[in-house]
Structure formats: C-alpha cells, structure tokens
Amino acid sequence: MSHISDEKIPNNVHLAEDKKLQRALEQWQPNFLNWWQEMGPTDFNASDVYLRTAVSVDTDGWAHYDYVKMPEYRWGIFLNLPIQDRTIGFGDLMGTPAWQDVPGEHRNTLRRLIVTQGDTEPASVEQQRLLGHSCPSLYDLRNLFQVNVEEGRHLWAMVYLLHRFFGRDGREEAEELLQRRSGNQDRPRILGAFNEPIADWLSFFMFTTFTDRDGKYQLLALAESGFDPLARTTRFMLTEEAHHMFVGETGVGRIIQRAAELARQHGDVRKAGGIDLDTIQRYLNLWYSLSLDLFGGEISTNAANYFASGLKGRAKEDKYEDHQAVNGTYRMDVPEAGALKTQEVPLRSAMNEILRDGYIEDCQRAVDRWNKVLEEAGVAQRMALPSRRFHRQQGHFAGLFFDPQGNPLSASDWAARKDQWLPTAADRAYVKGLQGRAITKPGEMAHWIAPPARGIDGKPVDFVYVRN
Ligand code: BYC
C-alpha cells in the first residue's frame, strides 16, 4: 500500500519493481504536465486549491485534503485490491479465472475500449478550461478544480493500463491521448459529447450531472470485465465519480432553487437576474440527449461481442440471474419505414440499451430531487427528461426527428420548433452574460445561484477554498 511519499508517481502497483514500466511512465509524465499547462484550467496553476487527493485505496480514508497547486497534484495509479481467485462473471467464459494479462485474441478490442474511456478524461478538462474565470463562488471554483484533477488521474489510470499491458501500441495510444483536442476539427476527441463546448456553468453542472453519469455506468460495466486490472482500476475510479455527480446535481439544484426564489419575489426570473426554468430545461434536454448518445447503438454486435467474450458486462452484473444472456430477448422500439415497430432483439445485442436503461432510471432520480426543490418552493413547474428518441445523433434514432415526448416530427416541424427545446444562441448569450466575472470573495455567491447546504470536508461555506 502506498501512502504519500517521495515517489515520482504515487501508486499501489509496485511500480518500483518494474523499472522498464516505471521509466516509460516517467517519460510520459512531463508530456502530461505539458498538456496540463497548455490545456488544463487557464491561469490558476499558481493558486493553492483545497483538494482531495487519493493516497491509498483503503475504504476508510483514501482521501486526503490539503492545499495543493494543481500542477503539483499527486496524480497516481491506484487499483482496488485484487479479489482472490476472481473468475469471469458473465458471457461464454463465465466461471473461468479472470485474466491477469491481456488475451491475444482480445488485445485490439480491449485497447480500443481503454482508449475510448481514456480519451474522455482529458477531453472534459479541455472543455472546462476557461470556467475558472466566471466561477459563481470559491466553493464552486474548488469543486471545478477537484473534478479536473480527478479526470487527470483517470487519464493516468488508463495510461497505466496501456503502458503496462499493450507494449509499443499502448505507448503510442498514450501519446495520442495527449494529442487529440476537444472540438478540434482535425484532431477531435473520440466521442460526440466530448467535443461540445462547455462555455458556462449551467453547462458544466449539466455535464457533471448527465455526462459524468454516463461515466458511472460505463465504468460499472467495465468494472465487471474479465480483464482483472481493468476491473480493479475502474472500481477505484467509481469512488471519485460520485463527487462529480454530486457537484453537477447540487449545482443545478441550487440554480433551480434560486430561480424559484426569484420567481416568487419578482415574477420574471430573467428580469431579476436569474436563470429561468425554461432555459434550464433546454440545457437539460441538450446534455441529456448528448449523453444518451454515449451508450452507442441500441442494437450492437460490438456490445454483444464484448459481453460474449467477457470484456464488458452489465452494470452490477450480480443482480441478474442469467449471466449468459444467450436465450433472452429485449423488446425495443425500432424505426422502420417512417414508423416505430416493437421488435424482439437478442439480449446480447441489446447490451448498450440495457446499460442505457439503468442510466435513464438514475437520471430520473436526479430530476426527481430537483423537482422536490421546486415543490418545496411552492412552484408548479417541473423539470423532465425528454424521450430517449429526442435529439439523438447515434443509434437508430439518429437522423430522425422527435419532440421531447418522443412523437415523430417532420424535418420542417423540427426546424420550426427546436428552439423551444434546445438552448438558443440567445439563451447561451444570456447565461454567459450573467457570468461575466469570477466571484472570489469567500462565502459570496453569484446572484443566479443559491449557496450550497454545506461546505467541503466539514469546512464552512465561506472557507477560503482557493487562494492566490
Ligand atoms: N460518438 O456498436 P456501436 C466518462 C461509434 S464517459 C462517436 O453503436 P459500441 C467521463 C462506435 O465507436 C464514459 N462515436 O457502439 C464522463 C462505433 O464505431 P466503429 C466513457 C460513437 O461499439 C465525464 C460505432 O459508433 N467510457 O468516463 O457499442 C467526464 C457504432 O458502434 C458514439 C466509454 O465510452 C458517440 N457517442 O460503442 C469524464 C467506455 N457512440 O466501430 C469522463 C468505453 C458510438 O463503427 N467505450 N460510437 O468505428 C465503449 O464501451 C464503447 O466504445 C461505447 C459504444 C460505449 C462508446
């Protein structure tokens, strides 16, 4: 077990005993730091930030809080401890020993899954890099940076796997993870949502609610993997993911709470300098639909193959009775000749959709909590998730048009009405306009957001979470 020490790369994988690997990672480290300087949070590298650092994987107390300058954050490699004699829990190889090394026949597929996962981590840091300049409070600024450094650590987690198990190919992929850029035309990040701009804090909170929640579900599926080092890595990553979703959900909740207060006092929320519920709903519609796309096609032979070969399972595979999924079917709506037809799909081919179902239920719980805020404030309006068919760009609904209730629309109806449902240029300008400067006085909050219920690590809300 590794605790804070003088090692260059904190780890619990006995890195010092594998000199070749250690050297390779120590060569990648300065490139990572260059990337952080160039693409990480702009202009805050000299600030002291009250951050949580993973120092070990012990359940009680892996998190250590202190002031840290972000470039000096101890990005480390931490895997959950091995489960003795672990066997593969699903698919054709169910019951056989989990792999401690990469099986030759699955090398390319596993590499691809790890690269896809890894690519999202630096992408999100790039997307959020300018937000520090418009933070609504020091508390929020600190939370942004916490999310950013942990995404950096998640990149390290995937790079460790690439370097340790995939030889030269893996080292090349690790370099490319630092070369692609979110939103860049020539070298974009791999998945759609990770090329979308996050130009304001409402987008950031929606992203951490909905897109990080995709992260949770993908990590839960990879945590079942027969490739044991991937399972152990993603299990530890999940412990950090929870805070990201907390940041998002409470962030949106506080904006909703403020909107409700302003509505009660003034009637017109925008005139009173808040973000109105209709605008919040449009942002929700956008980030939720972009995040639904991250689950891939509804009917997917890739997903069936991942499951069959034990590479990627279902979230919480334990709760299912049948871990083979050879015989079952899954009923889903499939577009066919301009109409929706219910179709029975072989269960294994529906694995992306099954994961998406769990995700949707989890998102609904977050929306229910927001609606509780509205209910308690005596406001009649409610937030809602749009239909899974709404505004999709991946899978079999891509290229078709649906309203938020899931009713089909013609292209011209969509064009005429989409501004009711997705953020308009005017919405974005309005939201951004509210966030023209950073609020950095301890305890002070921007006008458009309510204060949090409590601070971080038992500290008060007006604690100096970031100091220059
Ligand atoms: N954008 O069978 P299909 C996180 C591609 S977030 C662009 O439908 P499959 C985080 C797909 O690659 C979690 N392309 O999909 C959150 C395939 O390409 P090819 C990230 C897409 O293979 C916040 C084709 O479409 N983790 O951690 O089942 C902050 C059709 O394939 C998209 C993972 O994603 C898209 N949205 O892939 C920080 C886990 N969707 O083969 C971090 C690893 C699909 O035709 N990845 N395609 O060239 C996977 O498990 C799978 O690759 C996918 C679905 C879930 C992405």
Side-chain angles (χ1 to χ4, degrees), residues 112-114 116-118 120-122 124 127-128 147 151 154 190-194 207-208 211-216 218-219 222 237 241 244 290 292-303 306 312 352 355 394-395:
R112 205 184 123 154
L113 284 173
I114 292 167
T116 308
Q117 175 64 47
T120 63
E121 317 290 0
S124 68
Q127 286 169 293
Q128 296 161 16
V147 169
E151 301 303 5
H154 290 182
I190 297 171
L191 298 173
F194 294 91
F207 179 93
T208 35
T211 311
D212 274 271
R213 194 172 250 96
D214 165 55
K216 169 181 168 184
Q218 296 298 338
L219 292 175
L222 295 175
M237 289 161 75
E241 205 66 68
H244 305 188
L290 288 171
L292 285 177
D293 278 338
L294 295 172
F295 289 82
E298 287 74 8
I299 304 172
S300 166
T301 45
N302 287 347
Y306 302 153
K312 184 178 173 189
N352 285 344
L355 197 59
Q394 294 287 333

Side-chain angles (χ1 to χ4, degrees), residues 132-165:
H133 292 293
S134 58
C135 64
S137 72
L138 275 191
Y139 164 91
D140 291 293
L141 186 62
R142 177 258 167 222
N143 283 349
L144 166 71
F145 293 157
Q146 182 73 59
V147 169
N148 291 161
V149 292
E150 284 176 354
E151 301 303 5
R153 208 200 66 72
H154 290 182
L155 170 61
W156 269 93
M158 293 300 116
V159 164
Y160 162 72
L161 294 176
L162 290 170
H163 272 229
R164 167 73 179 76
F165 296 99

Side-chain angles (χ1 to χ4, degrees), residues 218-240:
Q218 296 298 338
L219 292 175
L220 281 170
L222 295 175
E224 302 290 336
S225 182
F227 178 42
D228 202 44
L230 176 61
R232 289 169 52 205
T233 304
T234 48
R235 281 172 197 200
F236 186 62
M237 289 161 75
L238 278 162
T239 62
E240 290 162 324

